[in-house]
Amino acid sequence: MGSPGLRLAVADWALSFDDRENVPEAVFEMECLICHAVSGPGDTGGESSQVWALKHTGRHPSHRVFKLITATFWRVDPMPSNPYADVTSTL
């Protein structure tokens, strides 16, 4: 049974890529699958993590297998019919 007084309502929301100013398109990291070392995050198209992987293999010649970890940023916004349409996000 649900909690007394709990009321659920349906509202329209939209999920979209977060293209606000100062939000990176993506953040990239590279993980060595041999020792699990991870590059620092970078948002330069993955170039800094690729350079890290090359340098890592240079220091550890048997470490040649990597996993690219990519994070993209999304947001949920209320549609015009949603009662929260006039409420601004805290971020």
Side-chain angles (χ1 to χ4, degrees):
M1 294 190 111
S3 301
L6 177 64
R7 182 175 176 203
L8 299 175
V10 176
D12 292 327
W13 296 89
L15 175 66
S16 61
F17 184 73
D18 193 345
D19 60 357
R20 293 175 297 163
E21 189 175 336
N22 298 323
V23 175
E25 279 189 43
V27 173
F28 303 94
E29 290 183 293
M30 197 70 78
E31 178 184 356
C32 174
L33 294 181
I34 305 301
C35 70
H36 302 287
V38 179
S39 69
D43 62 356
T44 59
E47 292 173 21
S48 61
S49 55
Q50 292 173 28
V51 170
W52 178 88
L54 292 167
K55 288 181 178 180
H56 184 78
T57 298
R59 289 187 301 274
H60 310 280
S62 64
H63 296 202
R64 300 179 188 178
V65 183
F66 297 87
K67 174 174 65 175
L68 176 64
I69 304 163
T70 307
T72 57
F73 301 90
W74 295 76
R75 61 181 290 116
V76 174
D77 291 305
M79 298 295 287
S81 63
N82 187 312
Y84 293 103
D86 293 332
V87 177
T88 56
S89 176
T90 56
L91 280 181

